[in-house]
Amino acid sequence: MSSQDSSASQVTISTLLRAKQAGEKFACLTAYDASFARILDKAEIDVILVGDSLGMVVQGRATTVPVSMDDMVYHSRLVARGCERALLMADMPFMSFASPAEAATNAARLMQEGGAHMVKLEGGAIQLSTVEYLSDRGVPVCAHLGLQPQSIHQLGGYRVQGREDAAARAMLEDAARLEQAGAATLLLECVPSQLAAEISAAASVPVIGIGAGPACDGQILVLYDMLGIAPGKRLRFSHDFLADTGSVAAAVAAYAAAVKGGSFPTPEHGFE
Ligand code: KIV
């Protein structure tokens, strides 16, 4: 996103759309509290996601499955207090969108109590009716495709998704149908770079990638991964910006500049 667009004015879905149309990359990160949100906001991170990854990196759980609606509302509210410029997106936790009506009740909580501008939910074609129901009622939705950590017990492991031809075709189709159903943005997690490039080129809405190669319109990382403080092994698609820079603010600014300047992610951060 150009420095003109990345001024102090509030980032909206229209800002992201304009960036996509102009071929300008935008930068996204997760945050879970007001202090980090303030640092991200000042560094002109365009989208701050209150991810259900908080279950793992904040609460110390093994997966995101136990994260509750109350957890998400609480952390969204904290982040909203530190956020002036960025678009605030909040995750719908496991089973909080099992039906369109339940999704509407819970999305309303994230927006009214948590201050979110957009909600994100995991799932492909199975979520079409929910995406349509929410977007028809004024809720901007980000549809999360590829690796869906809430399905970890079904998947049996965190693996790249869409490598086989049939799975790739299904994901391309799901992306198009979700956009048609009203999804305001798409997010691709751990998807082969070539497939992510095809989905991004075909989509009219902004596509955010994580472990999905350099061609997505925006990039996101889990904050604690890019600061090198998340437990577990270093992820191939992430980078420790704190080790490069020595302070949290400088690390976040370096990440924002690298994404917007096109130097992160490199093809080596992606998957075939
Ligand atoms: O919960 C989260 O942090 C996410 C990101 C991995 C995109 O969904």
Side-chain angles (χ1 to χ4, degrees):
M1 198 180 293
S2 72
S3 52
Q4 195 188 351
D5 269 342
S6 63
S7 65
S9 58
Q10 168 79 60
V11 175
T12 66
I13 182 59
S14 311
T15 324
L16 302 182
L17 205 52
R18 278 201 303 276
K20 178 183 176 86
Q21 287 161 356
E24 291 164 359
K25 305 287 185 191
F26 57 89
C28 323
L29 278 176
T30 66
Y32 315 102
D33 67 32
S35 297
F36 279 112
R38 207 165 285 123
I39 292 171
L40 270 52
D41 201 66
K42 280 199 175 14
E44 301 198 337
I45 294 298
D46 302 299
V47 177
I48 298 181
L49 168 68
V50 185
D52 62 355
S53 50
L54 69 85
M56 298 167 85
V57 298
V58 176
Q59 298 175 335
R61 299 179 187 276
T63 74
T64 59
V65 173
V67 174
S68 69
M69 256 327 285
D70 285 344
D71 292 336
M72 292 310 304
V73 170
Y74 173 73
H75 285 278
S76 299
R77 197 187 295 133
L78 303 189
V79 170
R81 290 185 193 136
C83 186
E84 282 180 11
R85 174 186 172 275
L87 184 148
L88 176 51
M89 177 152 83
D91 259 338
M92 306 276 299
F94 183 65
M95 281 301 152
S96 65
F97 49 101
S99 71
E102 227 175 320
T105 303
N106 287 320
R109 284 197 67 197
L110 288 172
M111 295 177 83
Q112 293 183 310
E113 298 171 46
H117 304 128
M118 183 179 293
V119 301
K120 176 165 80 61
L121 52 84
E122 294 183 10
I126 186 78
Q127 295 304 339
L128 285 171
S129 56
T130 297
V131 169
E132 189 168 4
Y133 191 88
L134 292 179
S135 87
D136 282 353
R137 284 158 183 78
V139 178
V141 181
C142 175
H144 182 147
L145 294 167
L147 176 62
Q148 294 162 33
Q150 290 173 12
S151 304
I152 184 63
H153 297 306
Q154 200 171 42
L155 293 169
Y158 296 102
R159 289 190 205 95
V160 177
Q161 303 292 306
R163 274 188 162 141
E164 305 75 25
D165 285 351
R169 270 198 306 278
M171 206 186 298
L172 262 163
E173 236 170 72
D174 282 3
R177 293 175 72 194
L178 285 159
E179 178 180 338
Q180 237 168 12
T185 56
L186 302 173
L187 185 141
L188 305 177
E189 178 167 355
C190 291
V191 169
S193 302
Q194 179 58 35
L195 175 60
E198 285 174 40
I199 293 174
S200 303
S204 311
V205 296
V207 177
I208 302 169
I210 174 166
C216 297
D217 306 304
Q219 295 291 335
I220 189 161
L221 287 177
V222 169
L223 177 65
Y224 292 17
D225 288 336
M226 61 78 75
L227 295 177
I229 57 172
K233 65 178 169 69
R234 201 184 72 74
L235 299 166
R236 173 210 176 115
F237 56 80
S238 190
H239 178 78
D240 183 348
F241 286 85
L242 182 57
D244 293 346
T245 55
S247 84
V248 171
V252 171
Y255 166 76
V259 169
K260 294 180 192 195
S263 61
F264 180 85
T266 64
E268 290 68 44
H269 293 110
F271 299 100
E272 289 187 355

